[in-house]
Amino acid sequence: MLALALPSGRMLDDCVKLFESAGIYFPKEILESRRLSGTSGDLNFLVCKPKDVPIYVEYGTADIGVVGKDVLLEGNPQVYELYDLGIGRCKIVVAIPNDAKPEELFSKDDIIRVATKYPKIAREFFNKKGISIEILNLSGSIELAPVTGIADVIVDIVSTGRTLRENNLKVWEEIAISSARLIANRASLHIKAEEIKTVLKRLKETRQPQ
Ligand code: PRP
């Protein structure tokens, strides 16, 4: 039996579709109820918050998992990144108010307040640029921060761009591209090598070229 950790929220639907096209079917109780775990075939499915997926995999509760590259970059968990699944594509960006002038905003004398749920990624990016920042660590609705004036800029993920647009923000710089990755627990990769290879092979066969 292989345990698989999956992200709740918007990426779960894409996971269901991808896995189904690979002939791997989610347990009914997960699809039709609020149950967060269930078994289907020889897989045990666990559904958790996206940023908790690597924790379940690192600690070996799950042998493999699906998680965004953004979460891996931020947390740097001790797991193997096996494969880019090609779903959940987005960009990690620095966004600023539509009417802001970058040359004034990022003048080196000022400390910029950055709202984000990616403090490590944000700090590394601005450090490299030599721009002094203060991090405002928020959990979500990041785009609200510059609108209300609690922060100057944001570091966040952009998918369709709608949330930025509708909150009068624009991309200043792209930091990285993200998509969902299949990850594995280090020990499981040896102990359950064959089972993991089988799942990986099925997912690889089904992946659409981008
Ligand atoms: C994410 C992200 C942006 C939004 C971008 O938030 O933090 O707010 O999606 O998507 P878009 O470019 O398609 O508009 P999410 O919906 O995960 O919720 P959150 O604000 O609670 O983190």
Side-chain angles (χ1 to χ4, degrees):
M1 180 74 74
L2 210 58
L4 166 65
L6 293 150
S8 60
R10 64 166 83 182
M11 216 197 276
L12 191 63
D13 288 344
D14 289 342
C15 284
V16 173
K17 281 187 210 135
L18 180 76
F19 278 74
E20 280 190 356
S21 59
I24 300 168
Y25 297 94
F26 276 53
K28 266 205 166 134
E29 57 267 39
I30 286 185
L31 297 176
E32 294 171 5
S33 77
R34 285 283 297 158
R35 277 288 301 271
L36 300 173
S37 63
T39 301
S40 168
D42 48 9
L43 279 177
N44 187 24
F45 292 71
L46 310 169
V47 178
C48 53
K49 282 276 177 195
K51 75 178 201 183
D52 295 339
V53 167
I55 299 175
Y56 281 91
V57 174
E58 188 173 333
Y59 281 79
T61 306
D63 301 294
I64 53 176
V66 174
V67 66
K69 181 71 179 175
D70 55 326
V71 175
L72 296 175
L73 289 171
E74 181 63 27
N76 201 20
Q78 299 303 299
V79 295
Y80 278 113
E81 191 179 319
L82 295 180
Y83 186 56
D84 182 349
L85 293 165
I87 56 172
R89 287 186 172 275
C90 59
K91 288 174 180 166
I92 307 170
V93 306
V94 180
I96 63 176
N98 277 337
D99 58 4
K101 293 194 177 72
E103 59 282 7
E104 286 172 16
L105 192 57
F106 297 109
S107 85
K108 306 245 158 138
D109 308 329
D110 288 338
I111 293 177
I112 304 294
R113 193 180 287 162
V114 182
T116 189
K117 46 188 173 185
Y118 301 98
K120 176 172 168 277
I121 294 172
R123 201 167 279 122
E124 282 172 4
F125 175 82
F126 283 106
N127 271 352
K128 270 192 205 145
K129 294 229 170 236
I131 297 172
S132 304
I133 60 157
E134 178 193 338
I135 296 277
L136 187 64
N137 213 336
L138 298 180
S139 318
S141 304
I142 309 297
E143 293 82 355
L144 186 63
V147 174
T148 57
I150 198 174
D152 303 300
V153 306
I154 64 170
V155 167
D156 199 13
I157 49 169
V158 178
S159 176
T160 62
R162 185 176 170 192
T163 317
L164 283 189
R165 268 194 313 277
E166 295 189 357
N167 289 285
N168 301 318
L169 299 169
K170 62 184 177 188
V171 173
W172 176 56
E173 279 212 28
E174 286 178 20
I175 301 178
I177 290 176
S178 177
S179 56
R181 307 297 157 100
L182 188 71
I183 57 170
N185 173 270
R186 291 176 163 210
S188 302
L189 206 50
H190 299 289
I191 301 162
K192 300 186 181 176
E194 285 312 309
E195 290 147 282
I196 292 175
K197 258 191 224 161
T198 304
V199 172
L200 182 58
K201 185 164 173 280
R202 285 161 83 170
L203 288 169
K204 277 187 175 171
E205 282 166 0
T206 192
R207 188 180 185 302
Q208 301 295 310
Q210 297 299 311

